[in-house]
Amino acid sequence: MDLAFIPSPSVGVVHLGPIPLRGYAFCIIIGVFVGVWLGNKRWVQRGGRSGTVADIAVWAVPFGLVGGRLYHVITTYEPYFGKDGHPLDAFKVWEGGLGIWGAVALGAVGAWIGCRRRGIALPAYTDALAPGLALGQAIGRWGNWFNQELYGRATDVPWALEISSDPAVGRVGGTYHPTFLYESLWCVGVAVLVIWADKRFRLGHGRVFALYVAAYCAGRAWIEYMRVDEAHHILGMRLNVWTALIVFLLAVAYLVISAKKAPGREAIVEPGAQEEAAAAAGGADAESAKSAKSGKADETATSDESDEGRSDRPGAKVSVAKSAGGEGAGHAVPGDGADAAADAAGGGAKTS
């Protein structure tokens, strides 16, 4: 008896009139936005301009989607170009089927083009983007939940994923390991690891990205081993397991070699960005100082105006003398207020 399980959505698409709203597409789109948002924050922290990550993503994201689809179609060509295949289905991205290996590889080509147009080094850009990529993958994996695909072996654990039967696609109902959930949680852990390591060791020159790739591959290898969907095998292992192992070794090699050839972190990641930030900060400081000086001048003027009514000022003493003795008292030397009044009273007014 199953005590608990994770239910699958009854449908993966909701129709808003004639417009289909697909859960898989939503997950991919949200993942992209989260990745770009976090990447932008990290880029600004490292001395870059806000908005640069999004500008380059305009190149990277389309290339990544094309690369991911190409990898899937090439490595799983039977439904599209095999016997009784449907070639046009290769364009139906919303039905699932994006290979992360192709997405990252061709996405990097798009990012390289965008970086060249902005005069930015690709390794610095990928370092800023790496944790966002991991979080984007964590969100995107939930698209497999909506499509009821890429699950693991049958199991009766409490967190098993319920899959409904669908003879049209050869899907057998039951409860299976939710490998989409395993990979999603693993990607969250990778993002946390990469952010921590970057702060702790001040990684640079592409090593943050290499750490993300190595950590992801380490998890993908065992998660891939659990899956039961059709895949090509080489020497008894699934193709994606071999891919994960090879890419893992390449990432570790890059980490070691890069640390020796270019230790530390880049001082400048985007030409002119730090100067603009300093100029903007200087302008803000100058405006603040100007406002403070203006406020002080206004305070002084207000103080002077309030002092005009005080009788202990020299001008007030002369006025008192004039009132007591007439015009002739106007030449009295200001002194104590009472003495000035007495002198003016004794002198009287001069006649011609």
Side-chain angles (χ1 to χ4, degrees):
M1 177 180 178
D2 294 329
L3 298 179
F5 56 82
I6 301 172
S8 290
S10 57
V11 293
V13 57
V14 177
H15 288 84
L16 187 62
I19 303 174
L21 305 177
R22 301 183 182 277
Y24 185 88
F26 267 120
C27 291
I28 297 296
I29 292 171
I30 294 172
V32 169
F33 273 101
V34 170
V36 171
W37 168 78
L38 181 56
N40 182 71
K41 288 192 65 174
R42 286 174 50 81
W43 184 254
V44 172
Q45 290 172 355
R46 295 191 65 173
R49 296 184 181 92
S50 178
T52 296
V53 168
D55 291 343
I56 297 175
V58 171
W59 288 90
V61 172
F63 273 73
L65 291 174
V66 172
R69 189 60 176 175
L70 282 175
Y71 181 88
H72 169 75
V73 171
I74 291 172
T75 58
T76 315
Y77 64 87
E78 290 86 357
Y80 312 105
F81 303 104
K83 183 180 179 181
D84 299 325
H86 300 84
L88 292 180
D89 287 351
F91 297 97
K92 297 180 179 179
V93 180
W94 55 87
E95 293 184 353
L98 291 175
I100 186 61
W101 315 110
V104 172
L106 208 56
V109 174
W112 175 75
I113 295 173
C115 286
R116 279 193 59 116
R117 291 169 62 88
R118 299 293 294 262
I120 294 170
L122 179 62
Y125 179 80
T126 58
D127 281 348
L129 200 61
L133 281 175
L135 284 182
Q137 285 178 249
I139 297 170
R141 270 303 172 199
W142 283 84
N144 301 134
W145 178 62
F146 281 99
N147 285 355
Q148 296 195 48
E149 61 185 1
L150 306 186
Y151 42 86
R153 295 188 294 270
T155 183
D156 58 356
V157 295
W159 58 88
L161 175 66
E162 183 188 38
I163 296 296
S164 61
S165 177
D166 188 351
V169 295
R171 193 169 66 207
V172 180
T175 54
Y176 301 85
H177 277 287
T179 50
F180 86 90
L181 179 60
Y182 298 161
E183 186 167 339
S184 179
L185 295 175
W186 183 269
C187 287
V188 172
V190 169
V192 173
L193 169 67
V194 170
I195 291 174
W196 171 82
D198 188 26
K199 290 182 178 180
R200 175 66 176 81
F201 303 105
R202 292 186 58 80
L203 302 176
H205 302 284
R207 289 189 290 277
V208 179
F209 184 77
L211 177 61
Y212 146 71
V213 171
Y216 172 75
C217 290
R220 179 61 185 269
W222 67 266
I223 293 172
E224 182 73 24
Y225 186 74
M226 296 178 65
R227 283 167 44 172
V228 294
D229 53 297
E230 292 185 6
H232 293 286
H233 288 71
I234 299 176
L235 299 179
M237 285 200 307
R238 292 167 65 95
L239 174 61
N240 282 336
V241 175
W242 282 107
T243 304
L245 291 175
I246 293 171
V247 175
F248 172 82
L249 293 175
L250 291 175
V252 171
Y254 181 88
L255 275 169
V256 175
I257 296 172
S258 175
K260 292 181 178 180
K261 300 185 80 173
R265 178 186 287 178
E266 301 92 338
I268 298 175
V269 295
E270 185 170 5
Q274 293 182 350
E275 290 79 1
E276 289 182 8
D285 292 341
E287 186 65 26
S288 177
K290 183 178 179 181
S291 299
K293 185 176 180 180
S294 176
K296 186 174 181 181
D298 292 343
E299 182 181 350
T300 302
T302 302
S303 177
D304 290 344
E305 290 174 1
S306 64
D307 286 345
E308 288 181 359
R310 293 173 52 186
S311 60
D312 58 346
R313 295 184 63 212
K317 297 173 186 178
V318 174
S319 297
V320 172
K322 286 184 178 180
S323 299
E327 293 292 331
H331 68 281
V333 177
D336 181 79
D339 293 340
D343 292 341
K350 290 186 177 180
T351 59
S352 55

